[in-house]
Amino acid sequence: MNKSKRPFTKSKRSFRRRLPPIQSGDRIDYRNMSLISRYISEQGKILSRRVNRVTLKQQRLITIAIKQARILSLLPFLNNQKQFER
């Protein structure tokens, strides 16, 4: 049997670089509510870094900003609206 097989080569897949969700000009701050609200779930939880697709440093800054906004009552700690709707 003489089957022609290709030699073992890595498949060449083209990867499209994703644009970072936070641009270099955006300031991660507790006052920037339009930016912070993108990283909070419906229930008011902070979304994980894999979901956000941000770097570790950016995730730390986002977490600190969200916590500061919660302490200053700019954001709720919980959003339990679904529990009361029956």
Side-chain angles (χ1 to χ4, degrees):
M1 292 186 171
N2 192 4
K3 290 185 179 179
S4 61
K5 289 188 176 180
R6 293 189 332 200
F8 293 106
T9 58
K10 286 188 174 181
S11 63
K12 294 188 177 184
R13 289 188 287 172
S14 62
F15 289 105
R16 192 181 72 135
R17 277 189 75 142
R18 288 203 169 98
L19 293 172
I22 298 177
Q23 303 299 327
S24 60
D26 292 339
R27 284 189 50 83
I28 302 172
D29 198 8
Y30 67 93
R31 291 172 290 189
N32 194 350
M33 296 305 296
S34 61
L35 180 74
I36 288 176
S37 59
R38 284 190 275 173
Y39 301 106
I40 297 176
S41 69
E42 294 276 326
Q43 292 83 29
K45 294 181 180 180
I46 301 172
L47 294 173
S48 70
R49 194 178 139 228
R50 286 179 296 157
V51 175
N52 292 340
R53 293 193 176 106
V54 293
T55 63
L56 181 63
K57 192 173 184 179
Q58 288 173 336
Q59 180 69 23
R60 283 194 196 118
L61 291 171
I62 289 167
T63 304
I64 292 168
I66 290 171
K67 289 178 180 179
Q68 285 176 338
R70 284 176 176 167
I71 290 169
L72 294 171
S73 69
L74 298 173
L75 283 175
F77 280 91
L78 294 174
N79 190 6
N80 292 335
Q81 295 295 327
K82 292 182 180 177
Q83 287 181 356
F84 301 113
E85 293 176 7
R86 290 187 183 187

